[in-house]
Amino acid sequence: MNKKELNITYEELSDFMRQIEGIKSTIEILQSKGLMEQINESETLERMGSKLIKVNI
C-alpha cells in the first residue's frame, strides 16, 4: 500500500469509528429512556396500590 491508500483507509476507519460511537450513544440513550419508563410505571403502579414483585435478571 502506498501512502495515499493508507490515508484513505485511515479516513474510512475514522468515519466508521465515529459511526460506531454514534450508534453506541444512541443505544445508551434508548436503554436509559426505557429504564426510566419502567421505573415510572412501577412507581405509578405502586401508588395505585398494586403489589409489585421483584424479578432478578
Side-chain angles (χ1 to χ4, degrees):
M1 282 188 153
N2 62 33
K3 188 175 179 177
K4 184 178 180 181
E5 290 173 329
L6 286 175
N7 283 338
I8 292 172
T9 302
Y10 177 77
E11 289 172 7
E12 290 172 347
L13 181 59
S14 293
D15 288 342
F16 183 67
M17 292 303 293
R18 278 191 290 278
Q19 290 174 1
I20 289 174
E21 286 298 321
I23 292 168
K24 180 182 170 191
S25 296
T26 301
I27 290 170
E28 289 171 349
I29 290 167
L30 292 173
Q31 285 176 332
S32 294
K33 183 179 178 184
L35 182 58
M36 290 306 298
E37 288 173 353
Q38 290 176 356
I39 291 169
N40 288 335
E41 183 179 345
S42 294
E43 289 173 346
T44 301
L45 290 172
E46 190 173 26
R47 280 194 300 272
M48 293 172 54
S50 295
K51 187 172 185 176
L52 303 177
I53 58 170
K54 182 177 180 180
V55 178
N56 293 323
I57 298 176

